[in-house]
Amino acid sequence: MSNISYYTAEGLQKLKEELHELKTKGRSEVARQLAEARDKGDLSENAEYDAAKDAQGHLELKIAKLEEVVGNARLIDESNLDMSKALILSKVKIKNLKNNMVMDYTLVAEEEADLASGKISVKSPIGKGLLGKSVGEKAEITVPAGKIEFEILEISR
């Protein structure tokens, strides 16, 4: 069964570029390693050849998984999103009610998440807890460290 994932145009483009890179440069590098190992003689006792074959298998598996992800990817049409609720692609300003810390996050697809740049996955505990909420609403979210209560201060695109 395929898992449909939603992406921004930028996120989908990154996936396609990575797939292209693996198919071209990745495959040619593995082929070079195989040829180099094959030139060293007896393949039955050639650890370098075995390692290159393993690397080839891992690369092909990664390519197949990425092809499936790209094939099941859907581009998000921002014009159809409800601006009053926290949804994918929303920039959400939240306040931790326990320590009054204010944070800004952008809710994105799982593969686009990057905490350092303030992008959290809609599948993460905080992302799930914020989805569908409106400004002024409180969200009690269970995280590995326990329960945290947030207030949604602002939602934008």
Side-chain angles (χ1 to χ4, degrees):
M1 192 170 123
S2 61
N3 290 333
I4 292 177
S5 295
Y6 294 90
Y7 292 91
T8 60
E10 174 189 344
L12 186 57
Q13 185 59 36
K14 280 183 184 176
L15 282 177
K16 287 179 177 179
E17 286 170 6
E18 182 183 353
L19 180 60
H20 179 73
E21 181 87 12
L22 290 175
K23 283 181 162 183
T24 55
K25 292 181 181 165
R27 280 182 173 158
S28 64
E29 175 61 22
V30 167
R32 186 193 60 73
Q33 290 173 359
L34 277 169
E36 201 174 283
R38 204 177 290 120
D39 290 343
K40 293 189 176 167
D42 186 9
L43 297 182
S44 64
E45 294 179 11
N46 189 334
E48 228 177 287
Y49 181 76
D50 291 340
K53 286 298 280 182
D54 285 347
Q56 182 184 35
H58 289 296
L59 178 70
E60 291 303 324
L61 181 64
K62 190 171 183 178
I63 288 171
K65 284 183 179 179
L66 208 49
E67 281 176 334
E68 183 179 351
V69 168
V70 169
N72 294 322
R74 301 292 179 265
L75 205 54
I76 299 166
D77 181 4
E78 292 183 58
S79 64
N80 292 334
L81 297 178
D82 183 352
M83 298 289 281
S84 67
K85 295 186 184 302
L87 302 170
I88 193 164
L89 295 185
S90 295
K91 290 180 175 81
V92 184
K93 182 179 276 196
I94 57 175
K95 177 176 161 183
N96 183 328
L97 296 177
K98 190 173 184 180
N99 62 14
N100 288 328
M101 194 170 146
V102 175
M103 297 157 282
D104 290 306
Y105 292 118
T106 302
L107 300 174
V108 295
E110 192 171 18
E111 290 79 4
E112 292 183 66
D114 177 16
L115 193 56
S117 63
K119 295 179 177 182
I120 60 170
S121 166
V122 291
K123 294 183 179 179
S124 70
I126 293 175
K128 282 181 187 175
L130 295 176
L131 281 177
K133 299 281 193 256
S134 301
V135 173
E137 280 191 68
K138 291 178 173 56
E140 190 175 293
I141 300 169
T142 303
V143 295
K147 287 189 187 239
I148 302 175
E149 194 171 7
F150 293 105
E151 180 181 357
I152 297 173
L153 303 176
E154 191 180 303
I155 298 172
S156 62
R157 292 271 185 269

